[in-house]
């Protein structure tokens, strides 16, 4: 079944148009004797004009046709293409069905074109299953020819929805083709569901730039699904950018304040060492602290990768050691503490209860043994290789606790 064919004298004819797109009516090719000289635009095989029991006009291949993609398309798919073409025309665009790309590497279900040719957008009706990667690749092929693509489906949760510019639609008796999932607005720090709207209105907003596809960065609020790409007004894109910039500024201020407090604690510890042990011991203590910080920094990526593989979630690793985590780096999944990187063994007893439910990450078996001597017997301790970087010698590691203890 197809809605477009090639007439030997008139050129391309369209079954869904009253004048076939060439100034002739359906009766001139349907049941004509002799048969109208029609052929498939895809494979070149002879085609006939037909009418379904419900009055739908279409073209069908004559017997003996070769394998052809147009012949395998379903009525459901064709009807959705017709609805998209109708909506595109109502939105002010020229719409043509089943258009091949310049190099023949892609074919648009409906190609919507600006009246003056300023842009072209492929409107794709995707009913059958397709992988996320395949649909991304097909989108990129169209983009390489300066043609944007929007994918439409009436399926509930195809795996590609929201990974490319897309929308979920449904057919209503009163409103026709309705876009039910696509639009979003940014408010109160998150993306929320936008209104349902007729497909013609949705396309008009797109054609006029009133809504744009946007790769969101902020979280979503239910019932909006966690789509990577949403359709939204440009002002909401700006609102998200301003919100994230402000959040980043506040985070930077907090980190600067934390760094200042950390520097003050370090200066106090150094002064304590100078008074208690003299300059040489203070210098040794500072060297031990520096070695601990290098070890913690070297483990950040291995810890991130380990947790991502183990849980499927992206952790947040704090940049600053925390006293309540035995001077280790706290690790969070969402708002929940998950683990700690390289805590100081001598400071674990004071935090033993709080650390019991967390995973402790260390850089060597020697460090694991020192920490295990201070934790509960069932404490989980994971040794991760920091790409075998020599952060310090084993002797310096074994003396680390004694040196750091002097700061307490």
């Amino acid at each position: 079944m197809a809605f477009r064919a090639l007439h030997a004298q008139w050129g391309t004819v369209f079954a869904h148009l009253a004048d076939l797109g060439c100034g002739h009516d359906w009766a001139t090719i349907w049941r004509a004797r002799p048969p109208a000289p029609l052929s498939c635009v895809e494979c070149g095989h002879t085609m006939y004009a037909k009418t379904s029991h419900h009055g739908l006009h279409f073209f069908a291949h004559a017997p003996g046709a070769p394998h052809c993609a147009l012949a395998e398309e379903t009525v459901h798919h064709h009807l959705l293409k017709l609805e998209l073409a109708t909506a595109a025309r109502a939105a002010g665009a020229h719409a043509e069905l089943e258009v091949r790309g310049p190099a023949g590497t892609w074919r648009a279900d409906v190609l919507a074109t600006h009246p003056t040719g300023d842009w072209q957008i492929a409107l794709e009706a995707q009913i059958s299953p397709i992988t996320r990667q395949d649909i991304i690749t097909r989108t990129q092929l169209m983009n390489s020819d300066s043609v944007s693509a929007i994918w439409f489906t009436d399926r509930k949760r195809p795996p590609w929805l929201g990974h490319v510019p897309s929308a979920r639609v449904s057919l209503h008796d009163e409103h026709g083709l309705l876009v039910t999932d696509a639009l979003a607005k940014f408010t109160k720090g998150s993306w929320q569901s936008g209104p349902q709207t007729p497909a013609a209105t949705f396309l008009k907003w797109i054609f006029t730039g009133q809504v744009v596809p946007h790769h969101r960065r902020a979280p979503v609020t239910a019932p909006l699904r966690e789509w990577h790409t949403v359709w939204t007004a440009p002002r909401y894109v700006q609102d998200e950018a301003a919100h994230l910039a402000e959040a980043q500024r506040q985070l930077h201020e907090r980190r600067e304040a934390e760094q200042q407090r950390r520097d003050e604690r370090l200066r106090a510890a150094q002064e304590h060492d100078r008074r208690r042990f003299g300059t040489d011991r203070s210098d040794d203590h500072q060297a031990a602290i520096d070695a601990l910080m290098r070890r913690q920094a070297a483990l950040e990526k291995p810890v991130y990768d380990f947790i991502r593989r183990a849980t499927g979630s992206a952790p947040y690793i704090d940049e600053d050691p925390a006293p309540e985590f035995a001077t280790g780096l706290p690790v969070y999944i969402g708002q929940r503490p998950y683990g700690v990187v390289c805590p100081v063994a001598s400071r674990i007893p004071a935090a033993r209860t709080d650390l019991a439910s967390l995973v402790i990450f260390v850089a060597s078996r020697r460090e694991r043994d020192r920490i295990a001597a201070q934790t509960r017997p069932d404490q989980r301790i994971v040794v991760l290789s920091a790409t075998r970087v020599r952060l310090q010698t084993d002797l310096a590691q074994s003396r680390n606790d004694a040196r750091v203890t002097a700061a307490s």
Side-chain angles (χ1 to χ4, degrees), residues 352 372 375-380:
R352 185 180 290 124
T375 62
R376 291 183 176 182
D378 59 348
Q379 178 72 56
R380 185 182 179 192

Side-chain angles (χ1 to χ4, degrees), residues 112-144:
T113 305
H114 187 272
T116 61
D118 292 348
W119 46 255
Q120 288 185 311
I121 302 176
L123 310 179
E124 296 297 310
Q126 191 60 44
I127 304 300
S128 60
I130 186 173
T131 67
R132 182 185 305 170
Q133 187 54 52
D134 282 347
I135 208 166
I136 290 174
T137 299
R138 289 172 61 179
T139 301
Q140 291 171 342
L141 281 174
M142 296 179 190
N143 293 164
S144 67

Side-chain angles (χ1 to χ4, degrees), residues 178-202:
L178 193 67
V179 175
T180 56
D181 288 309
L183 293 168
K185 58 183 179 180
F186 187 79
T187 181
K188 297 181 180 180
S190 69
W191 288 99
Q192 300 181 17
S193 294
Q196 297 185 358
T197 184
T201 302
F202 177 71

Side-chain angles (χ1 to χ4, degrees), residues 243-261 316 318-320:
H243 171 79
L244 293 176
E246 175 61 19
Q248 186 64 31
R249 185 191 66 78
Q250 294 179 6
L251 176 62
H252 179 70
E253 288 183 350
R254 289 196 301 271
R255 287 181 174 176
E256 282 192 334
E258 291 170 357
Q259 184 62 42
Q260 184 176 357
R261 290 192 296 270
Y316 168 72
D318 203 328
E319 295 182 353
D320 297 319

Side-chain angles (χ1 to χ4, degrees), residues 333-366:
I333 294 181
Q335 301 296 319
R336 180 178 61 84
Y338 179 87
V340 57
V341 181
C342 296
V344 176
S346 62
R347 298 193 176 183
I348 286 178
R352 185 180 290 124
T353 300
D354 294 334
L355 297 180
S357 62
L358 307 182
V359 181
I360 295 178
F361 297 96
V362 297
S364 69
R365 294 180 180 178
R366 186 184 296 272

